[in-house]
Amino acid sequence: MISVNHVSKRYNKRDMVVNDVSFQVEKGQIFGLLGPNGAGKTTLMQMIATLLMPTSGLVSICGMDTTSSAQEVRKKIGFLTTEIKLDPLSTPNQLFRFFSELYDLPKEEIEARKTESFTRFGITPFADKRIAELSTGMKQKVSIVISLIHRPEVIIFDEPTNGLDILTSRQVMDYLLELKEKNCCVLLSTHIFSVAEQLCDEIAILVDGRIVAQGSAPDLTEKTQSRDFEEAFFKLYSEYHREG
């Protein structure tokens, strides 16, 4: 459902942020992009989510070119990133109402969807509090609910557990596994080894804007002759990282 073919992003003649990246993500699959801060994960996710245009290469979602069919693609995806901030003066109830209307949801379904989502993530007691008054974890859960309000087929989450406590992080991870079971296509980026290892069917290691290895965590561990997945990553990083 997600196809990335030889995609690059250059901001100037010398600054290649994403360099000739290709991969596919299918229905019912969780695909992870693992790399350190500055590896190009967020830029790549933003190109896939139609927020940035590639310098070269092609991204398609559900068979549609993300550049020429951006509006239609956006109806198919749910995108969550730490770069997008919720209005601090709004409440979860107000945001849910606004985005329901934005996505033109059937009026008879809106309240039922809100009740289901808010109950699941424990948002109901905070539904009329301003976003500015909520904890980091609660803000993240509201963001997840809003990003999936239209029940998209394709989920694109950039660092979904970043900064969360262990309980909220576990709740988010369990939800992503449920989306996989519902045959959604899930792409997530992370720099946390346990998240990648526990969630992802396939992992692409991103170093300096390039995919340097791809496979399941056990496969990558075996191919690099490492004791565990974390050691495998550091071996690959040491081999491919360019100083300076």
Side-chain angles (χ1 to χ4, degrees):
M1 299 186 79
I2 300 176
S3 179
V4 178
N5 293 293
H6 300 289
V7 166
S8 296
K9 183 65 176 179
R10 185 190 293 275
Y11 287 112
N12 54 55
K13 289 184 178 180
R14 299 180 60 186
D15 190 9
M16 182 74 83
V17 181
V18 175
N19 189 355
D20 195 26
V21 167
S22 298
F23 61 86
Q24 314 286 323
V25 191
E26 305 299 335
K27 280 186 179 181
Q29 183 183 29
I30 299 181
F31 188 100
L33 295 170
L34 177 69
N37 291 337
K41 301 188 302 298
T42 294
T43 298
L44 180 55
M45 300 287 266
Q46 289 178 340
M47 286 191 286
I48 295 169
T50 77
L51 299 184
L52 288 175
M53 289 184 62
T55 302
S56 60
L58 176 68
V59 180
S60 62
I61 291 180
C62 301
M64 296 181 289
D65 183 337
T66 56
T67 300
S68 60
S69 305
Q71 288 297 107
E72 289 303 310
V73 168
R74 288 169 189 161
K75 296 175 184 178
K76 297 285 187 181
I77 67 174
F79 180 52
L80 176 70
T81 175
T82 53
E83 301 296 318
I84 297 176
K85 306 297 183 184
L86 300 174
D87 177 9
L89 299 181
S90 292
T91 67
N93 270 335
Q94 290 170 337
L95 288 171
F96 198 94
R97 190 179 312 116
F98 173 80
F99 282 97
S100 294
E101 294 174 358
L102 186 67
Y103 281 107
D104 198 26
L105 297 186
K107 291 185 178 180
E108 62 275 12
E109 291 186 22
I110 292 175
E111 198 61 34
R113 288 196 191 188
K114 186 179 78 171
T115 299
E116 178 187 353
S117 299
F118 279 22
T119 300
R120 177 189 179 87
F121 285 105
I123 298 171
T124 305
F126 307 94
D128 290 311
K129 285 187 175 291
R130 290 183 176 182
I131 296 299
E133 300 174 311
L134 302 181
S135 67
T136 299
M138 188 56 63
K139 289 175 184 175
Q140 184 76 329
K141 289 192 280 190
V142 172
S143 296
I144 290 171
V145 166
I146 295 303
S147 66
L148 302 181
I149 197 169
H150 54 306
R151 296 179 178 170
E153 301 173 55
V154 177
I155 318 299
I156 304 169
F157 277 4
D158 186 15
E159 304 280 5
T161 62
N162 194 28
L164 301 184
D165 63 71
I166 55 174
L167 295 178
T168 305
S169 179
R170 181 74 260 176
Q171 197 172 18
V172 171
M173 290 169 67
D174 287 344
Y175 189 51
L176 290 173
L177 289 171
E178 285 188 29
L179 291 171
K180 172 187 171 179
E181 291 300 314
K182 292 178 180 177
N183 218 27
C184 290
C185 167
V186 182
L187 173 66
L188 66 88
S189 73
T190 185
H191 63 273
I192 303 172
F193 299 111
S194 59
V195 170
E197 197 167 8
Q198 293 176 46
L199 287 183
C200 299
D201 304 294
E202 188 92 355
I203 301 166
I205 306 296
L206 201 65
V207 177
D208 298 332
R210 296 176 298 138
I211 291 179
V212 300
Q214 185 176 321
S216 67
D219 286 345
L220 292 170
T221 302
E222 182 179 353
K223 287 175 183 177
T224 55
Q225 298 181 330
S226 302
R227 291 168 298 179
D228 54 34
F229 178 57
E230 185 172 340
E231 182 180 316
F233 171 82
F234 282 112
K235 281 185 177 181
L236 291 164
Y237 181 80
S238 298
E239 181 178 353
Y240 289 101
H241 174 58
R242 304 184 308 270
E243 292 294 340

